[in-house]
Amino acid sequence: MAIQIGRKAEGSFREPLQLLSDCHRRIERFLQELIHVAEQTQGDGLNEAYRDELDTALRYFENAEPLHTADEEVSLFPRLRAKKNEEADRIIATLEADHDVVGELQRRIGQIGRKWLEQGYLEKQELRELLEKLYFLRTTYHQHIGIEDRVLFPVAATLLSAEELEAIGREMADRRGVSFDTPPGTRCASRRAKQGSPK
Ligand SMILES: [Fe+2]
Ligand SMILES: [Fe+2]
């Protein structure tokens, strides 16, 4: 199966590899929004638009992105490991190490971002740390997502059966508390039960 990069319409749970790739576009978008707010305001007072942008992006990384990591670590990677394919095993080891790095970066970025929302400004040192971590996260994700989109997912498409892909899609839907046949639109988002979750 060819993985299409950058197309507008999102894949369905019946196309889990495409959907995982679609989620990458959201990660990139919300990360860029965090960088945009930090660069534009330089940690000064947030107007309503910047406050909304910051809050929405922070909530994406708190609630929705962890579901994407679980899609990969719980649903995709173990099924690929079961194939005992050397190339896939090597790539997955690198990707899992990346997940630890981005998880820690996102945790710290979330702490600083929440503090910013609460007190309304950042000290210079906090802004510096926030921007450093955001730029490092962008670089790490750029490499990580590139490997997943261009190497691992195409390998997965050749190794996994239609039944295995469907099982992954069903697990992804369950993880978000939605039906396997839910129409397009919010599939990368966090569980439907959470109010105000980012799209
Ligand atoms: Fe990943
Ligand atoms: Fe990913």
Side-chain angles (χ1 to χ4, degrees):
M1 183 185 102
I3 306 296
Q4 299 176 47
I5 308 299
R7 73 175 192 177
K8 289 261 171 23
E10 285 199 348
S12 75
F13 289 115
R14 294 181 185 280
E15 304 169 280
L17 298 174
Q18 180 62 57
L19 188 50
L20 287 169
S21 205
D22 295 335
C23 294
H24 290 160
R25 305 291 82 76
R26 290 182 189 234
I27 291 170
E28 291 163 345
R29 188 181 105 211
F30 284 114
L31 177 55
Q32 194 50 46
E33 288 185 5
L34 289 176
I35 292 171
H36 175 251
V37 174
E39 286 181 339
Q40 291 299 309
T41 66
Q42 291 294 304
D44 283 339
L46 295 161
N47 65 22
E48 202 178 323
Y50 283 136
R51 174 171 285 274
D52 280 353
E53 193 175 357
L54 176 59
D55 185 46
T56 301
L58 288 174
R59 280 190 289 114
Y60 176 80
F61 285 104
E62 288 162 359
N63 300 322
E65 191 286 328
L67 299 181
H68 175 76
T69 299
D71 292 338
E72 293 173 349
E73 293 197 345
V74 179
S75 299
L76 177 63
F77 294 172
R79 287 184 171 88
L80 286 174
R81 279 214 170 93
K83 302 296 176 186
K84 306 214 177 299
N85 176 282
E86 240 176 69
E87 184 190 11
D89 286 352
R90 184 178 47 76
I91 297 167
I92 288 168
T94 304
L95 295 173
E96 285 184 330
D98 286 345
H99 285 173
D100 291 341
V101 172
V102 301
E104 184 55 32
L105 286 167
Q106 287 170 184
R107 187 192 62 75
R108 183 61 185 142
I109 287 166
Q111 278 179 344
I112 300 174
R114 287 284 156 216
K115 186 176 177 192
W116 190 3
L117 283 173
E118 277 166 29
Q119 70 185 15
Y121 66 93
L122 287 179
E123 303 288 352
K124 278 200 167 15
Q125 192 181 334
E126 292 170 324
L127 173 70
R128 200 178 313 122
E129 183 186 353
L130 179 63
L131 280 169
E132 276 173 13
K133 289 200 159 39
L134 286 169
Y135 295 146
F136 186 33
L137 186 60
R138 180 168 61 185
T139 302
T140 306
Y141 262 135
H142 182 72
Q143 291 178 336
H144 181 88
I145 284 174
I147 292 168
E148 289 181 342
D149 282 343
R150 288 189 280 278
V151 184
L152 189 73
F153 296 169
V155 168
T158 66
L159 291 177
L160 298 174
S161 67
E163 291 74 21
E164 287 166 324
L165 288 169
E166 179 174 333
I168 291 170
R170 288 188 181 281
E171 288 175 14
M172 290 171 69
D174 284 350
R175 202 164 277 128
R176 289 158 179 80
V178 298
S179 155
F180 181 61
D181 294 310
T182 304
T186 60
R187 293 190 179 110
C188 297
S190 53
R191 291 184 69 83
R192 200 168 44 177
K194 284 188 179 161
Q195 293 298 311
S197 293
K199 304 276 195 272

